[in-house]
Amino acid sequence: MNRDEPLVLGIETSCDETGIGIVRGRTLISNTIASSMDEHARFGGVVPEVAARAHLDALQPAIEQAVAEAGIALSDLDAIAVTSGPGLSGALMVGVGAAKALAISLGTPLYAVNHLVGHIAADIVTPDSEPLEYPTIALLVSGGHTSLLHVRDLTTDVELLGETIDDAAGEAFDKVARILGLPYPGGPQIDRAAADGDPSAIRFPRGLSRASDMAKHRWDFSFSGLKTSVARWVEQNEGSTLPVADVAASFREAVVDVLVTKALDACEERGVPRLLLGGGVIANRRLREVALERAAARGVTVRIPPLSLCTDNGAMIAALASQLISSGRAPSTLGFGADSTLPVTEIQVAERDTVAT
């Protein structure tokens, strides 16, 4: 195996996107994504069984496309990587099963890795980027996860500072979009509607931001109460013309305020002048703007991977495995499974006891 610049194929099936990525060391070779979002739109959210079946249909064509775009043969691979968790159980099982079958058939080492840590690894294969400095604070915001991490080393030391205790930010966007009569997925729709709105029109609550919350939930997030507050405001103003733009802008501002404030406070408290943003919700224009503006005022450097690498993708999974290989970590055994609640501190799953030679 080439440990300096391993050629790795990554498989990511934690939610509704089938991601196949191929990297060589820190270089992105191919990034293929097959989304089943349209199939979920009629239900107003991701349906786990539909997602799993969509992965079954999309996996082989996506692998073939990624390999063709990379101009390689499967036999050229140094390793296979796959998301073991967290995510939707059925969706994860499809990817895990495919990765095991592929690794066994090729006689190739297999690395089972953590989906959330993969989002940090996306920064590694960002074209023309400087190497990621440690330590760094990472804010990961997606449809199913909102997490604040202290990353001292990508392959060995990731600490969970806080996470959502109810609705993740992406889920709140979807639910509020439904309240406002906007289609799924809610994030882009809220962003478009908010463009013409006044973010200070309505003062919606900032969850877990009061002084009384700091002892137990200083770094945690809660957006369920915010969603309920929006719903009540809409109900109370029923019968009048609903100012969708102002509601959307005010809701978005509340979410962004909490995310950025807690992330930058973590940077200050931990003495880390670096913040990495990841996850699909980072596509939100206002979130990026506020993060960059407030971080600059506090002397914090912000890194944001390209949006194509912020959403779930196989390239970030391959990138994380590439770093594990370069650091001398052994492959995973075949005893691992899909773990929907895999903790972020478990970067690699079922590592062998000794490094293969």
Side-chain angles (χ1 to χ4, degrees):
M1 180 189 294
N2 181 348
R3 294 193 180 279
D4 294 327
E5 291 191 325
L7 183 64
V8 184
L9 181 145
I11 299 174
E12 154 57 29
T13 62
S14 65
C15 192
D16 63 336
E17 291 172 316
T18 306
I20 306 297
I22 300 175
V23 305
R24 190 186 300 276
R26 287 173 42 91
T27 303
L28 178 61
I29 305 297
S30 176
N31 186 31
T32 298
I33 298 176
S35 176
S36 60
M37 185 179 297
D38 290 345
E39 298 178 47
H40 301 283
R42 55 180 171 156
F43 301 107
V46 176
V47 179
E49 178 65 19
V50 172
R53 291 180 180 275
H55 287 308
L56 281 171
D57 292 336
L59 256 175
Q60 183 172 338
I63 292 173
E64 291 174 351
Q65 181 180 338
V67 169
E69 289 179 355
I72 66 166
L74 288 173
S75 57
D76 296 329
L77 295 170
D78 290 307
I80 307 291
V82 66
T83 297
S84 177
L88 302 175
S89 294
L92 289 168
M93 289 178 189
V94 176
V96 167
K100 288 183 178 182
L102 194 57
I104 291 172
S105 66
L106 294 171
T108 304
L110 177 60
Y111 286 77
V113 302
N114 191 296
H115 167 76
L116 295 181
V117 183
H119 276 296
I120 304 169
D123 184 79
I124 292 172
V125 290
T126 297
D128 303 321
S129 68
E130 296 294 324
L132 183 62
E133 292 186 67
Y134 301 114
T136 188
I137 299 298
L139 174 65
L140 307 181
V141 192
S142 66
H145 303 279
T146 304
S147 304
L148 191 59
L149 313 175
H150 187 176
V151 185
R152 299 180 185 87
D153 186 280
L154 183 64
T155 62
T156 62
D157 192 353
V158 177
E159 178 188 359
L160 177 65
L161 297 179
E163 60 187 341
T164 184
I165 63 173
D166 43 53
D167 287 342
E171 291 172 315
F173 271 99
D174 289 338
K175 292 177 180 179
V176 169
R178 193 178 310 144
I179 291 169
L180 297 179
L182 300 174
Y184 174 86
Q189 300 297 332
I190 293 285
D191 220 17
R192 293 189 192 99
D196 298 321
D198 179 3
S200 62
I202 309 163
R203 176 68 184 184
F204 286 125
R206 273 63 170 163
L208 299 182
S209 295
R210 297 174 301 183
S212 58
D213 297 319
M214 291 300 100
K216 186 176 181 181
H217 294 294
R218 183 174 186 181
W219 310 123
D220 290 325
F221 303 93
S222 171
F223 298 107
S224 180
L226 171 59
K227 170 208 65 182
T228 301
S229 181
V230 173
R232 287 177 177 170
W233 193 95
V234 170
E235 288 173 2
Q236 291 168 0
N237 290 272
E238 189 176 4
S240 59
T241 301
L242 183 65
V244 173
D246 286 346
V247 176
S250 299
F251 160 75
R252 183 181 67 175
E253 200 70 9
V255 174
V256 169
D257 188 18
V258 170
L259 291 172
V260 175
T261 297
K262 293 208 172 199
L264 292 178
D265 284 351
C267 288
E268 182 175 340
E269 195 271 343
R270 292 300 176 103
V272 178
R274 289 172 291 275
L275 174 63
L276 172 69
L277 304 181
V281 178
I282 301 303
N284 186 282
R285 177 180 55 82
R286 183 61 178 162
L287 176 54
R288 298 196 307 274
E289 287 177 353
V290 172
L292 290 168
E293 179 183 328
R294 292 192 190 175
R298 295 174 69 166
V300 174
T301 301
V302 177
R303 294 176 69 122
I304 307 175
L307 297 185
S308 62
L309 294 176
C310 284
T311 56
D312 293 344
N313 63 86
M316 68 185 192
I317 302 304
L320 177 54
S322 173
Q323 293 299 297
L324 290 167
I325 293 167
S326 296
S327 66
R329 296 283 288 272
S332 300
T333 69
L334 293 177
F336 73 92
D339 187 346
S340 63
T341 60
L342 183 69
V344 71
T345 50
E346 195 166 349
I347 300 166
Q348 180 188 351
V349 179
E351 182 185 5
R352 293 178 187 168
D353 292 333
T354 58
V355 177
T357 57

